[in-house]
């Protein structure tokens, strides 16, 4: 089976007064049809830029200068603008972090949904409204038939995010990109919205790119995961394989940084050292200034991506000697603890 999305060696740069930001530096990964895939990494590692590169909605100063983004066999980077507009929304839908910025406060939900539905599904207003109500109902908006005439401010944050999910899914996309879809919401609401996303993904057989910081969410929803660091993919594989036996020192450090409840903490622990600046990033392996296993070669030569069984891919000079391993029980305990800490923050 071919991937629905095959991102091949893309380089996306931003041109700023201080210099060129090398945001994506040869990123490759794929998403199979109907597959929920996780995209994970610290802030600034290129997750959103990857999604925006695929949809060609980068900020004005950004450009994907090379590589291919193959969607259903077609390179999106080569498509004329007109065809790309059809892909956006109808084929590939994206849900952003903050539901308020994606809804226009001065229009009723009905107008904001039916307009896109009738445009993309080529149907009349009446049918578009029926589809909209049906979708709102499916994502758990109570009294959808009545509430569709309300304005965004009349809904809570969680309900607004459900509306955006309904709007995205009403166009029957094949691929859903959800970029930190719950971080702007209360913790209790986060779980409900994630449950909706998980349910809808299964029910509609969607391929999904779920961008998140939360390893608990990754474990629960995704089948495969791509770990990003400093504008590169450092490790890819089946979620269960990576959770039990991370092979890249950065992935290992991510799990290590899940906090323990025994120590009194008000915020999540992070991996020691700074996330790299992507103007003049570190040479060789971009993780070397923070890696406790780094050797001389790491600061000089970019590690190649090695592929082996079950779709596993790792970019580290020393992963074979290191043989990093996290025991199942230890990890489960740590993931639970992390979620508890999040709720208490
Ligand atoms: N318009 C821009 N101009 C300059 N640099 C940019 C621009 N947009 C993004 N970047 C840079 O590109 C890099 C990747 O950013 P991106 O938004 O993809 O991070 P992210 O992984 O989504 O982080 P977060 O988890 O915080 O959302 C960052 O270094 C960011 O500063
Ligand atoms: S290549 Fe070297 S610096 Fe990079 S992760 Fe592997 S050991 Fe660490
Ligand atoms: Mg982001």
């Amino acid at each position: 089976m071919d991937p629905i999305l095959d991102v091949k060696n893309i380089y996306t740069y931003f041109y700023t007064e201080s210099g060129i930001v090398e945001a994506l530096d040869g990123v490759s990964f794929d998403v199979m049809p109907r597959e929920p895939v996780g995209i994970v990494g610290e802030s600034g590692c290129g997750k959103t830029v990857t999604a925006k590169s695929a949809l060609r909605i980068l900020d004005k100063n950004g450009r994907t200068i090379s590589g291919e983004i193959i969607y259903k066999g077609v390179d999106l980077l080569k498509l004329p603008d007109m065809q790309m507009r059809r892909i956006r929304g109808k084929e590939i839908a994206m849900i952003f972090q903050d539901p308020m910025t994606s809804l226009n406060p001065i229009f009723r939900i009905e107008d904001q949904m039916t307009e896109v539905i009738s445009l993309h599904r080529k149907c009349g207003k009446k049918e578009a409204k029926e589809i909209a109500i049906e979708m709102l109902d499916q994502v758990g908006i109570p009294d959808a038939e009545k509430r569709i005439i309300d304005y965004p401010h009349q809904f809570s944050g969680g309900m607004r995010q459900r509306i955006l999910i309904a709007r995205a899914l009403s166009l029957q996309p094949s691929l859903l990109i959800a970029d930190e879809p719950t971080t702007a919401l209360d913790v209790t609401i986060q779980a409900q919205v994630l449950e909706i996303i998980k349910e809808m993904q299964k029910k509609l057989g969607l391929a999904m790119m779920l961008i998140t910081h939360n390893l608990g969410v990754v474990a629960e929803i995704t089948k495969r995961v791509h770990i990003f660091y400093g504008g590169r993919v450092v490790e890819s594989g089946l979620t269960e394989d990576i959770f039990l036996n991370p092979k890249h020192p950065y992935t290992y450090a991510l799990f290590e940084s899940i906090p323990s409840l025994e120590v009194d903490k008000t915020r999540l622990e992070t991996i020691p050292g700074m996330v790299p600046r992507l103007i003049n990033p570190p040479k060789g392996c971009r993780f070397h200034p923070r890696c406790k296993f780094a050797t001389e070669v790491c600061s000089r030569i970019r590690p190649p991506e090695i592929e082996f069984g079950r779709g596993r891919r790792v970019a580290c000079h020393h992963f074979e000697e290191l043989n990093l391993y996290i025991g199942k029980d230890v990890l489960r305990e740590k993931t639970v603890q992390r979620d508890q800490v999040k709720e208490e923050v």
Side-chain angles (χ1 to χ4, degrees):
M1 204 196 308
D2 290 333
I4 187 168
L5 184 76
D6 199 358
V7 175
K8 295 184 181 180
N9 208 21
I10 55 166
Y11 288 75
T12 295
Y13 290 174
F14 291 96
Y15 301 86
T16 70
E17 280 180 5
S18 338
I20 298 175
V21 180
E22 299 176 20
L24 300 183
D25 188 60
V27 162
S28 299
F29 68 92
D30 59 13
V31 181
M32 300 303 285
R34 312 169 82 86
E35 183 190 39
V37 160
I39 303 285
V40 175
E42 284 167 294
S43 191
C45 67
K47 304 180 297 292
T48 300
V49 169
T50 300
K52 289 186 168 177
S53 299
L55 286 171
R56 291 184 18 199
I57 51 169
L58 289 167
D59 297 339
K60 282 206 175 63
N61 63 335
R63 205 146 60 90
T64 301
I65 55 163
S66 70
E68 292 175 316
I69 300 179
I70 312 289
Y71 174 75
K72 292 187 176 171
V74 175
D75 187 355
L76 297 181
L77 297 178
K78 295 207 175 92
L79 269 191
D81 287 349
M82 183 67 177
Q83 287 179 36
M84 193 61 216
R85 271 201 289 276
R86 256 179 250 144
I87 297 267
R88 260 181 241 126
K90 175 74 190 103
E91 285 283 335
I92 307 177
M94 185 156 171
I95 306 170
F96 294 90
Q97 185 171 329
D98 183 357
M100 210 48 202
T101 56
S102 306
L103 285 168
N104 191 328
I106 62 167
F107 292 111
R108 296 176 194 278
I109 298 305
E110 176 175 349
D111 301 327
Q112 302 196 46
M113 285 188 76
T114 54
E115 192 183 328
V116 281
I117 295 171
S118 47
L119 176 75
H120 284 286
R121 287 183 64 170
K122 301 196 174 22
C123 61
K125 272 260 160 175
K126 188 164 170 284
E127 194 185 334
K129 186 172 176 182
E130 281 165 13
I131 295 170
I133 292 170
E134 161 71 20
M135 259 351 267
L136 289 171
D137 190 49
Q138 284 199 35
V139 299
I141 303 284
D143 271 337
E145 207 170 339
K146 287 196 191 120
R147 299 229 45 200
I148 194 168
I149 58 165
D150 287 348
Y151 290 90
H153 72 266
Q154 292 172 278
F155 293 89
S156 66
M159 287 295 161
R160 283 197 289 263
Q161 193 59 301
R162 284 171 197 244
I163 291 167
L164 286 173
I165 295 168
R167 186 171 72 175
L169 300 185
S170 63
L171 304 185
Q172 300 178 311
S174 303
L175 173 65
L176 176 68
I177 303 177
D179 189 357
E180 300 276 5
T182 59
T183 40
L185 308 175
D186 285 356
V187 181
T188 44
I189 310 295
Q190 284 185 6
Q192 292 167 10
V193 171
L194 279 167
E195 196 51 41
I196 298 276
I197 292 177
K198 186 177 161 189
E199 218 175 82
M200 298 304 276
Q201 183 273 328
K202 274 205 185 132
K203 192 161 152 190
L204 304 177
L206 286 172
M208 177 162 77
M209 254 170 78
L210 178 66
I211 298 175
T212 177
H213 289 109
N214 188 326
L215 294 170
V217 170
V218 172
E220 168 132 0
I221 298 189
T222 69
K223 290 269 183 308
R224 244 173 1 121
V225 62
H226 302 292
I227 311 279
F228 276 58
Y229 185 81
R232 296 176 181 169
V233 181
V234 293
E235 180 159 10
S236 291
L238 294 176
T239 307
E240 57 182 317
D241 290 354
I242 291 192
F243 268 59
L244 286 179
N245 183 7
K247 290 195 179 288
H248 194 283
Y250 174 65
T251 319
Y252 184 72
L254 267 185
F255 289 118
E256 287 276 278
S257 70
I258 298 173
S260 158
L261 278 187
E262 284 156 27
V263 191
D264 179 30
K265 287 195 179 69
T266 50
R267 52 191 288 270
L268 294 176
E269 214 177 340
T270 52
I271 301 169
M274 296 278 285
V275 174
R277 272 165 44 87
L278 298 178
I279 297 179
N280 292 325
K283 298 264 176 304
C285 172
R286 286 187 170 181
F287 188 51
H288 84 259
R290 298 167 80 188
C291 180
K292 54 185 175 190
F293 307 108
T295 61
E296 188 270 335
V297 69
C298 305
S299 58
R300 280 190 301 111
I301 298 173
R302 176 177 182 154
E305 288 175 6
I306 311 285
E307 265 191 71
F308 47 103
R310 288 162 63 95
R312 199 71 180 273
R313 219 161 43 123
V314 183
C316 166
H317 289 298
H318 301 301
F319 82 92
E320 274 168 315
E321 306 121 68
L322 290 173
N323 224 352
L324 305 170
Y325 176 78
I326 291 180
K328 200 175 193 167
D329 295 337
V330 175
L331 187 75
R332 187 182 301 125
E333 196 180 307
K334 285 196 156 217
T335 308
V336 169
Q337 284 176 349
R338 180 191 165 112
D339 289 346
Q340 284 170 358
V341 169
K342 276 201 87 171
E343 283 181 29
E344 285 170 12
V345 169

